[in-house]
Each structure stands twice: as C-alpha cells, then as structure tokens.
Amino acid sequence: MAVYLLRRGGEGVIVLALVSVLVFALIGLMPGDPIDLLISADPDITSEDAARLRALYGLDRPLYERYLAWLGDALRGDLGFSRLYSQRVTAILWAPLQNTVILMSLSLVLGLLVAIPLALVAARRPHGPVDVTVNLLAFAGFSVPAFWLALLLILLFAVTLGWLPAGGVHAVGDPSLESRLRHLVLPVLTLTVLNAGVYLRFTRGALLEVLNEDFMRTARAKGLGLGQALLRHALPNAMLPLTTVVALHVGTLLSGALVVEVVFAYRGMGKLTYDAILANDFNLAMAALLLATGLTLTCNILADAVYSWLDPRVRYDD
Amino acid sequence: MTTEPLARPAARPPVKPSAILIGSGGVLLALTLLCFTAPWIAWLLGVDGTRVDIFNRLAPPGADHWLGTDELGRDYLIRVLEGGRVSLAVGLIGAVAAALIGTAIGLIGAYAGGRVDALAMRLTDLVIALPILPLLLIVAAIDPARLGLPTGGLADVGRIVVIVALFGWPTVARVARSAALSVRRRTYVLAAEALGARAHHVLWRHVLPNVAGPILVAATLGIGNVVLVESVLSFLGLGVQPPTPSWGNLLSDAQTLLVQAPLLAIVPGLMIFVTVIAFNALGDGLQAHLDRRRAVR
C-alpha cells in the first residue's frame, strides 16, 4: 500500500510538472507581456527602453530558459510577484484556498446528504412515480448551467426578497462569522444543486444494480424489510463506487466552483485564477492553476487509498 | 407427441422508440429549426435582431417585441434565436470533433493493447480528473494571432470548437475502448485477422460498426456538456465574442442589467437548460433503446 501510494505520488509530481510546462507555454501565447503593458501605461517609453527592460527581466530569452528559471525559483519556494495585487504570490494564495475549500467541502457534504436519502427512496420502487420524479430532479441538477442558477438565486433572494447578500465573502468591514455564513448560503446552494444531481444519478444507478444481487434476496428472504435491506446491505455496497465518483468529481467541482465564485464575487481560488488570467498576471495564474491541479491529484490518490481501506478485496500491492 | 416442424425464427419485432426519445428529439428538432430560421422569423415578425434603436431600449415584452428588447433596443427574441444558432452549432460540431478524437484514441488503445493502451488510458483518466475549466481558460485566453491564426468572426467560433473538443474527448474514448475490447476477440474479428486483413481495415470495417451504438450515446451526452462549456466560456468573456451572440455571452451582458431587465438573463439560461436536458435525455433514451434492442435480439 505504502509503495503504491508512493508510486502514485511520484506520478502526480510528473503530471504536475507536465501541466506546468504546458501552462507556461500557453501563458507565453497570451496577449501582452509585462513590458507591453508597461508601454501602454506609459507612452513616453521608447523602444530602446522596452528592449532594455525586456533584457533586464529576461523576457528576450527563449521560452525553455525562462521556464527553467521559473522552475528553479518555484522549487525554492519563490513563486514570483503578482502584478494584480502587488504582493508576493505566496502571500496571496492562502486565504482564497481556504475560502474555496470551505465552499467545496460544504457543497460536497450537503450534496451527498441530499442525494443519498433521495436515491434510497427512489430505489424502493424502481421506475415507480417517486423514482421517475427523483430521476428528473437529478437530470435537472446536472443539466442546469451553474452561472444561470446563480443569477436566478441572486434575483430571487438578493434582489426581490432582499434576504441574502448578492456576493462577496463577507460584508465590508464585518468579517464576523455570521456575515461570512450569510454570504456562503447562495454559492453553497448553487454548487449543492449541481453536486446533488451528479451524486443522485450515480447513487440511484448503483443501488438499482445492487438490488438484483443474491445477498439482497437473502436479506429479504430472512424477513428484513425493504427499507432496512436497502439501508444495511444495498447502501454500503453502493457507497464503494460512490467514493470514487465523488473523488474523481473534485476536478469538476473545482470547475463549477470557479463559475460560482466569479458570479458571486466570492474570493476563492477560482475567482483568483480567473482574475489573474484576465489581468495577464502570469505568476499568479501559474501558481493558482498548479495549486488547483495539485489539489485534484491529491484527492484522486486519497480516493484510491480510501477505496482499498473500505473494501479489503481491493489491494494495490501487485 | 409430435415433433413440431423447425420454424424459421420469427422476424424480430421492431422496438418502438420510447416517449423520452421522441420527446427530447422533438424538442431539439424544434429548437434547431427555430434558431436556424431566425432571419425568416425576424422578417415575419417585422423586427430586427441587429438594428440598434436607442429610443426603444429595454422595452418590456409586447406585441411588437415578444420578448422585449435588449440594452441597445434590439429585438430579444431574435437575439436569443441567433445566439442559439451559434451555441447549437458549436455544441454539435464540438461534440462530433470530440467523438472523432475519442473514438480514434479508444479504438487504437483497445486494438493495440499493451503500452499504447496503458498510455492512452492514463491520458484519458488524467484529462477527466484534472480541473479542466481553469486550464481551458488559459487556452481560451491565448492570442491566436501569436500562433499565426486568423481572428474574429468565424475563426473565433472555430477556436471555441477546438477548445471544447479538447475537453470532451475522454468520455468517448473510454466508452469506445471498453466497447472495442468486448468485440476484440469475437470470431468475426479473429477471422478477418486470420485472413490477413490490416489493422486499419479490421478497425474500420469490423470493429467500428459494432461499437457505433455506445459511441453514439456517449457523443449525444457529450453535446449537452459541450453546450454547457461553450456557454460558460462565453459567459466568462473568453468564448464567442460579441457582437456575435451566443447564449453564454447574452447572459453575460444580462448580468449587469439583472435588476432592470431580469428577463434578459432568464431566457438565454432557460434555453441552455432546456437544450442540455434534452440532449442528456436523448442520450439516455438512445442508451435504453439500444439496450432493449439487444435484449430482443
């Protein structure tokens, strides 16, 4: 197991390195290098000045040399300077990361809390009226565009009813827990709907599959009620594949979080990435993207570990 | 006891398409027709989706403008239908492109096996697991001029198709691979190989026709996803650029007018929602249809 995790970790590092090369190359293709922006900000700069500045910052060197320089600094813990926030990148990342983790974990847990009971109710009578309704709900949940749902919720709860704030992490000058929670409601609600749709569809499918197993018939034959049989025998077996789906879904969840964070002006990793890309803040975009990738890869590896812990039949020491 | 004469097996009864299949297909057909006949609808209604009319900004829905007008006084119904033309076209073309890439990778992996297969599947799993939207934003933000590519208008739409195809292929690849693995050792494939058929011939003539069903299902489900991704990118300002309307960038414009004109935000989102649900239902219905046909066989 330890060997397996070590190998997966090693692979993760390789993937991270590949992604960093890819992103670095793509960033080089984004419009406007820092000097272009400097020129547009100050028309007095001559082309000689621009060339001199480019040489000073090494922007005239080939891409791979610049990448290696960036990598060397990054490995020493220096991710460079953010132009957007005029701060070291390492000093910016922490708060948004926390905000995103809060948003994601809340909506993940709530999504499961909505999906599992609904799936259990639906599985009592497959293709019955309840099941069809639940299935429709699941369809709606994963088909709804996140940003539209977010706008509708803002329209209802912030504009029309005025119950909840339309955006932000907390009210200006009021970082109290209450204010934070009030600002979390709508973003968490949006993401929960999306998650619940995916989890519901999957849990229902997994339950229906387990229903035909021999051990289910045995459980019913020994006199266990349908509800108890579903809860005690079907659900634990359906939970196994669900862990994998939930973990593999973390990448998608991060994507969804990005959209929701942008609409609600919620300062998390997604909004940070988006702002950095729009503002051509290369160092920050690079760091934020790698952090998101690293987070996803870690969750995937953890999922494998949890899977083998939950199901002793699965062993990784091949 | 008399022995019955050996009867010819009865012709297999045709499997009727389900209500879901017909319903979702009908909705999509109607939507597509409406969107692609937008110029004629505009002519019939005597309105214009492009003419700016600043004296008639943000008009409420009425007899003249069924969905009112936008912030520049353009008829919103026509704007939405024209936006749908772009969104649906990107969805269809993008999903087909993704299906082609995915099928190629899946089939080659399944047929070649060994290291090629392992590498292909690693790549597939990786693209599925990665936080794909943040990475796509970078791809969407690059300046095509720096790669010597044309910009603006149609080239812009083409760029989005490439981006969504990059995102959509892995699910198809997985389906294509597992379907191909299941027919890989069938006698007809082995027979073709024994007769000395080349790999591409076997794949094209014997494997592909027998795995087309699941691939079609995966591709249909993919269209919904592609429509969603295009709308997200356009909503974030990195997809289809105004003045070319798409459902995503219409919503993006409407966001700032949410209080004055909520309808501008509600309608394009509803169109995306209906389209994505319909494609997902169509894919699901197709899957059930193919399953039942196989059960009858």
Side-chain angles (χ1 to χ4, degrees):
Chain A
M1 189 69 207
V3 175
Y4 172 78
L5 284 184
L6 218 60
R7 207 184 73 209
R8 285 293 307 268
E11 278 173 11
V13 171
I14 294 172
V15 169
L16 215 53
L18 285 176
V19 170
S20 76
V21 171
L22 194 69
V23 172
F24 200 87
L26 287 171
I27 281 178
L29 292 168
M30 271 163 59
D33 69 13
I35 307 303
D36 287 339
L37 298 178
L38 209 67
I39 295 170
S40 62
D42 181 359
D44 289 340
I45 291 180
T46 62
S47 54
E48 289 82 44
D49 285 338
R52 195 173 49 77
L53 282 170
R54 281 212 170 83
L56 180 65
Y57 291 116
L59 288 167
D60 55 346
R61 281 186 286 157
L63 197 65
Y64 74 92
E65 269 185 40
R66 277 189 279 153
Y67 174 73
L68 289 179
W70 175 86
L71 188 65
D73 285 345
L75 288 179
R76 282 195 298 267
D78 177 11
L79 291 170
F81 207 72
S82 158
R83 276 189 290 148
L84 188 58
Y85 294 97
S86 308
Q87 265 179 308
R88 297 222 139 269
V89 167
T90 37
I92 300 170
L93 294 173
W94 184 234
L97 181 64
Q98 273 179 311
N99 286 341
T100 295
V101 169
I102 292 173
L103 180 67
M104 278 175 47
S105 40
L106 275 179
S107 52
L108 193 151
V109 172
L110 286 174
L112 284 173
L113 285 180
V114 172
I116 292 175
L118 278 179
L120 280 173
V121 174
R124 289 186 70 97
R125 257 191 70 195
H127 308 295
V130 178
D131 184 39
V132 169
T133 318
V134 166
N135 206 14
L136 269 177
L137 282 179
F139 254 98
F142 69 79
S143 300
V144 68
F147 50 100
W148 183 61
L149 181 62
L151 286 179
L152 288 187
L153 289 174
I154 291 177
L155 199 58
L156 179 63
F157 289 105
V159 178
T160 312
L161 295 172
W163 291 353
L164 291 162
V169 176
H170 55 72
V172 181
D174 176 20
S176 66
L177 185 64
E178 196 214 334
S179 171
R180 279 173 182 275
L181 286 178
R182 281 169 56 82
H183 283 78
L184 263 174
V185 176
L186 291 184
V188 167
L189 187 58
T190 313
L191 272 185
T192 301
V193 170
L194 298 182
N195 287 345
V198 177
Y199 300 160
L200 183 53
R201 184 172 159 79
F202 191 82
T203 315
R204 176 183 169 272
L207 281 178
L208 291 193
E209 218 150 86
V210 176
L211 280 182
N212 296 325
E213 296 275 351
D214 287 342
F215 62 78
M216 282 304 285
R217 201 177 311 128
T218 311
R220 293 304 307 280
K222 72 178 190 194
L224 207 58
L226 179 57
Q228 282 295 314
L230 277 171
L231 205 60
R232 293 229 211 125
H233 296 285
L235 189 60
N237 282 288
M239 287 302 277
L240 276 176
L242 190 63
T243 45
T244 320
V245 167
V246 170
L248 281 179
H249 191 242
V250 167
T252 320
L253 191 53
L254 262 171
S255 300
L258 186 146
V259 182
V260 170
E261 285 173 9
V262 169
V263 178
F264 287 105
Y266 182 87
R267 193 157 174 262
M269 288 306 294
K271 176 143 174 57
L272 196 74
T273 312
Y274 177 66
D275 289 346
I277 291 173
L278 282 199
N280 290 330
D281 191 342
F282 305 142
N283 286 335
L284 187 57
M286 189 83 191
L289 281 169
L290 288 181
L291 193 57
T293 310
L295 197 65
T296 313
L297 291 173
T298 313
C299 286
N300 291 346
I301 296 173
L302 277 181
D304 279 349
V306 170
Y307 197 96
S308 104
W309 176 67
L310 282 176
D311 187 349
R313 285 172 301 182
V314 179
R315 313 205 53 150
Y316 293 121
D317 37 27
D318 43 282
Chain B
M1 200 172 168
T2 55
T3 43
E4 303 228 343
L6 276 175
R8 284 173 56 142
R12 90 184 119 89
V15 175
K16 277 192 205 143
S18 63
I20 292 180
L21 206 55
I22 296 173
S24 54
V27 167
L28 287 171
L29 204 64
L31 261 179
T32 314
L33 274 177
L34 277 175
C35 289
F36 282 87
T37 54
W40 291 288
I41 294 174
W43 176 77
L44 273 178
L45 294 176
V47 290
D48 197 325
T50 50
R51 204 190 63 232
V52 174
D53 179 3
I54 48 167
F55 297 109
N56 201 12
R57 299 174 60 229
L58 299 177
D64 290 347
H65 302 286
W66 290 8
L67 287 178
T69 59
D70 69 358
E71 72 279 9
L72 293 174
R74 295 171 291 195
D75 184 85
Y76 205 53
L77 175 66
I78 302 303
R79 291 286 291 166
V80 168
L81 291 183
E82 281 176 350
R85 213 163 42 173
V86 175
S87 292
L88 286 173
V90 169
L92 281 171
I93 303 170
V96 168
L100 288 179
I101 302 173
T103 305
I105 290 181
L107 287 192
I108 291 171
Y111 197 77
R115 294 200 151 195
V116 178
D117 189 30
L119 190 70
M121 280 305 107
R122 267 290 146 78
L123 190 67
T124 310
D125 288 346
L126 194 66
V127 177
I128 288 181
L130 283 181
I132 203 74
L133 183 63
L135 295 170
L136 282 186
L137 285 186
I138 282 275
V139 182
I142 65 173
D143 183 0
R146 292 203 174 195
L147 285 172
L149 297 172
T151 54
L154 209 58
D156 209 43
V157 176
R159 189 174 58 100
I160 300 303
V161 168
V162 172
I163 291 173
V164 293
L166 280 178
F167 148 90
W169 65 266
T171 30
V172 182
R174 262 194 186 171
V175 171
R177 173 176 177 270
S178 67
L181 279 181
S182 74
V183 300
R184 176 75 184 84
R185 295 278 157 220
R186 294 278 174 86
T187 34
Y188 57 83
V189 174
L190 294 180
E193 281 174 340
L195 289 170
R198 298 240 180 92
H200 66 88
H201 178 88
V202 176
L203 279 175
W204 186 251
R205 293 294 296 273
H206 299 287
V207 176
L208 189 59
N210 287 293
V211 299
I215 291 176
L216 186 67
V217 171
T220 312
L221 292 171
I223 304 176
N225 259 328
V226 165
V227 169
L228 266 183
V229 171
E230 181 274 323
S231 71
V232 166
L233 287 176
S234 299
F235 177 76
L236 294 175
L238 292 164
V240 180
Q241 299 296 326
T244 308
S246 88
W247 286 334
N249 69 31
L250 285 176
L251 253 166
S252 172
D253 292 344
Q255 196 185 4
T256 49
L257 298 161
L258 200 57
V259 181
Q260 298 106 298
L263 203 63
L264 297 191
I266 293 172
V267 177
L270 193 64
M271 299 296 271
I272 302 172
F273 189 34
V274 170
T275 307
V276 176
I277 281 205
F279 274 119
N280 283 337
L282 189 70
D284 239 36
L286 267 178
Q287 171 92 64
H289 188 74
L290 293 174
D291 286 352
R292 264 182 298 139
R293 247 183 38 183
R294 200 168 39 212
V296 168
R297 217 177 266 184

